[in-house]
Amino acid sequence: YTGTSVLDMALVNRFFNLELNYMPGEQEEKVLCKRCGIKSEDAKNIVKVAGTVRNLFAKGELSASVSTRETIAVAELVGDGFPVYQALELTLLPQFEGTDTDGERSVVRSCFMAV
């Protein structure tokens, strides 16, 4: 809707905005393990990559961050048998512009190298 029209201020005033921080890494790992049934090591790798991308976003080096919803999506693929690296590629890379060797996509891909 907001892609084609501006939200009416009367509608906007009906919402209460909350600013939330990401949960601590150890807690996010537990959520991924419990919710998706993945190994602790895989959850740590997913959260590590997400943390790196979040830090780059906070520094203004990337135009988007990684939400907990997206780490859960990665973990669900891992739970379904995908390797962590491939699950990260499939879930996170489409959010970023560029190619595998240029632009934001290459920066995000370099964050996967620790996995």
Side-chain angles (χ1 to χ4, degrees), residues 8-17:
D8 179 41
M9 285 307 295
L11 178 61
V12 171
N13 287 333
R14 288 177 169 78
F15 296 98
F16 181 75
N17 292 323

Side-chain angles (χ1 to χ4, degrees), residues 23-42:
M23 66 181 84
E26 290 177 1
Q27 187 176 356
E28 190 170 9
E29 291 169 20
K30 289 178 185 177
V31 168
L32 298 181
C33 289
K34 184 173 182 176
R35 197 160 166 181
C36 304
I38 64 172
K39 296 183 286 186
S40 178
E41 182 181 333
D42 290 337

Side-chain angles (χ1 to χ4, degrees), residues 3-109:
T4 58
S5 301
V6 175
L7 279 178
D8 179 41
M9 285 307 295
L11 178 61
V12 171
N13 287 333
R14 288 177 169 78
F15 296 98
F16 181 75
N17 292 323
L18 291 176
E19 188 172 320
L20 301 173
N21 293 323
Y22 293 104
M23 66 181 84
E26 290 177 1
Q27 187 176 356
E28 190 170 9
E29 291 169 20
K30 289 178 185 177
V31 168
L32 298 181
C33 289
K34 184 173 182 176
R35 197 160 166 181
C36 304
I38 64 172
K39 296 183 286 186
S40 178
E41 182 181 333
D42 290 337
K44 284 181 188 199
N45 286 329
I46 294 166
V47 171
K48 182 178 180 181
V49 169
T52 302
V53 173
R54 290 168 182 164
N55 287 336
L56 290 171
F57 173 73
K59 292 178 186 175
E61 296 179 29
L62 291 174
S63 62
S65 188
V66 174
S67 70
T68 303
R69 179 177 294 131
E70 290 158 338
T71 61
I72 290 171
V74 173
E76 287 174 339
L77 288 177
V78 172
D80 288 340
F82 284 79
V84 174
Y85 188 90
Q86 186 179 17
L88 287 164
E89 285 182 318
L90 292 170
T91 306
L92 303 185
L93 288 182
Q95 299 178 64
F96 297 95
E97 296 293 326
T99 66
D100 290 344
T101 58
D102 188 42
E104 287 189 342
R105 191 174 284 218
S106 69
V107 173
V108 174
R109 183 180 286 284

